[in-house]
Amino acid sequence: MARETTPHARGDAPPATAKDPAVASTGLAADRDEDALVAKTVTINRPRQTLYAFWRDFRNLPLFMENIESVTVMDGHRSHWKVKAPANTSVEWDSVIVEDIPGEVIEWRSVEKASVNNSGRIEFQDSTNGRGTWVSAVIAYDPPAGKVGQVIAKMFGREPKVQARRDLRRFKQLMETGEIANSDPPNAAPRGD
């Protein structure tokens, strides 16, 4: 994704809300189905360095990302991810950080022959109105079984676009309040936002 140094070029809209968030920069094919690209932004009332540091420790991700079972940090650039999949299964892969600008950007890509090819980029920018930080996530993925995998994931409540929106909301809650609100009754099935 091309860095935009003047967020107000599109008004006060955060960079990841652009119509074409530069699919080619994700490392996956540029002619991808748009269902395989997720771009979401949230404003969080915390300093960007604080948000970056929390996210950069990938072991924190399961605290607010519902589908991530665990992330094991292997070294400063490599990590092993275990993620919930439909029908009570899970998938695992290794990822490598390909860009890391403290306080600004974390970009990763799954290693070759991963069970789910994916890449992502998280950007942290001061909001133009002085009210916190824009956190923008752009994630591209090749779901197992292609289109069939996407349909199955939607049926089982693991659809990435919905999950990305929910996870960013949960990140916002955790960083602003120290906890994540849950209005679902005990033992309730996951909502399909």
Side-chain angles (χ1 to χ4, degrees):
M1 183 166 139
R3 283 206 44 102
E4 182 174 317
T5 56
T6 56
H8 57 283
R10 284 186 310 275
D12 282 339
T17 60
K19 293 273 187 208
D20 177 13
V23 179
S25 71
T26 65
L28 298 177
D31 61 348
R32 305 210 26 85
D33 182 318
E34 70 179 47
D35 283 341
L37 179 71
V38 178
K40 300 291 178 189
T41 299
V42 66
T43 302
I44 301 176
N45 192 18
R46 298 283 291 177
R48 66 184 164 92
Q49 189 62 41
T50 301
L51 300 175
Y52 163 88
F54 189 86
W55 195 296
R56 180 59 176 84
D57 184 351
F58 291 143
R59 296 171 298 184
N60 288 328
L61 299 183
L63 296 175
F64 63 91
M65 298 179 101
E66 293 178 310
N67 286 341
I68 296 180
E69 292 179 11
S70 65
V71 179
T72 304
V73 175
M74 298 158 60
D75 61 36
H77 295 285
R78 295 176 59 87
S79 55
H80 180 79
W81 298 56
K82 184 174 181 183
V83 177
K84 295 175 190 172
N88 292 320
T89 62
S90 61
V91 292
E92 298 183 41
W93 64 83
D94 290 344
S95 288
V96 62
I97 294 176
V98 295
E99 183 176 10
D100 187 359
I101 302 172
E104 295 181 25
V105 173
I106 306 166
E107 184 174 350
W108 70 91
R109 185 167 294 125
S110 57
V111 298
E112 192 174 332
K113 297 184 182 180
S115 59
V116 177
N117 289 323
N118 65 85
S119 64
R121 181 177 179 94
I122 305 296
E123 293 189 7
F124 305 88
Q125 288 187 328
D126 295 329
S127 68
T128 57
N129 63 10
R131 294 185 180 161
T133 303
W134 286 330
V135 178
S136 300
V138 178
I139 301 169
Y141 67 99
D142 286 325
K147 276 292 211 191
V148 172
Q150 287 178 343
V151 170
I152 292 170
K154 287 179 183 180
M155 289 172 35
F156 285 93
R158 303 264 183 244
E159 200 271 319
K161 282 188 177 182
V162 172
Q163 200 60 47
R165 182 177 68 241
R166 291 178 69 188
D167 288 344
L168 280 177
R169 271 197 318 241
R170 291 166 56 86
F171 182 54
K172 176 181 174 71
Q173 288 177 2
L174 182 61
M175 297 312 296
E176 289 183 347
T177 68
E179 62 185 7
I180 297 172
N182 184 357
S183 61
D184 293 335
N187 301 321
R191 295 187 349 228
D193 277 349

